[in-house]
Amino acid sequence: MTLSRRQALGAAIAAPLAAQATRAAATLPSLPDRISFAPTPIAYLDNASTHPISLGARAAMDAYVAGRTLDPAAAARKPVDRAATIAKFARLVNADPDELCWVQSTTMGEQAVLRALGFPHQGGRIITDTLHFYAGFPMYQELAKQGVDIHWVQARDGRIALEDMAKAITPGTKLVSLSLVSTYNGFQHDLKAVCDLAHAAGALVYADIIHAAGAVPVDLHGSGVDFAACATYKWLMGDFGLGFLYARRGVLDNLPLADFGYYGFAAPDAPPGIGLSPPATHIYPMDPPGDAPVSYSIRPGTLGHFGTGTYAQSVIAAIGHSLDYISALGVPAIQAHAQSLIAPLREGLTAKGYTIITPPGTKTPILTALHPQAKVRLNDPLAKAQVRISLHDHHFRIAPSVFNDRNDVDRLLAALPRA
């Protein structure tokens, strides 16, 4: 296919989607909201794995890419506003913008926190639990091999009991690390209660909020949590390669720098903020003299402690739109819509004999059920019905979002065999 034919085909595909994005942007969104997303024959209920990008977010990314290709038409468009996007996320989770910085992923944020606290070399006790992100378990097992005292709080009936946390958080505990909402079964911690226990024992708390931000109300200041991180490709409706790291004001004051990078340093007299103001060099021709290769200041807040290298700029464009969209809907409305679908899913799965391991009363958009060899046994019937959920070795996870409706629920329940 020639370049001109490929361009024509691309334009033919993009034109109706762009028109739909324009119509969606002109309408106050209501739930379920299908018009804001590309049409699909799939009943997509796997949003806890990867959330689809909305048409508006795609348009924002396209505009960014147009500028990167030196498209003359892109010159009139507003550039990506990184500071404004940080501020939008800060409002979503009740934080201050200077308590946030970009990270490449949730796990990168968690590891940055561990380094800042001196793990593994300085040792200490870490409390975590078996409903934390399972792919992070090897990290804590490796820390244990290197001398860190790792204590695992075991789940009971799909929950982490607060009394079990209280027993585990002994004096001398350095960090409590958890997922606010479990990727496994949607269980949600009482984060403020855990923070109160930890702080009373002199410990700090890290929360993975990737399954909370944008899906359930999150109040970082109100909880008292010390650190939190998330990526944007789930409930924030962004993409891979970009997320946020939060550090509560003051918690970094006595911690040495453990990460060093371009965005953490600035010119000696640089104003606060995330705008570019690189260190002043003293090594190149016509530089002012200096006693070292550069003169610099450490940026205030979380950025100065954890700001490292470049990050995915096109994703900032996407989540700039998505955060506006989430704000327009309101997280309580998003949560209520998901629960209106979770209820018939729970009822239908129970009627078919499945054992549900998401605790009753859970208000997150995740419902998980046990099924032996789920990936092997359920893949074909679900694929035939064009239904998408998250299949694992011995369980499956359903996660409805803003564009799902009762028809999606009914298609899934009809496609699932009896347990």
Side-chain angles (χ1 to χ4, degrees), residues 264-280:
F265 301 115
D269 55 352
I274 62 175
L276 294 180
S277 180

Side-chain angles (χ1 to χ4, degrees), residues 124-138:
R125 181 175 171 86
I126 297 177
I127 307 300
T128 189
D129 66 64
T130 57
L131 292 182
H132 195 12
F133 180 40
Y134 59 88
F137 291 171

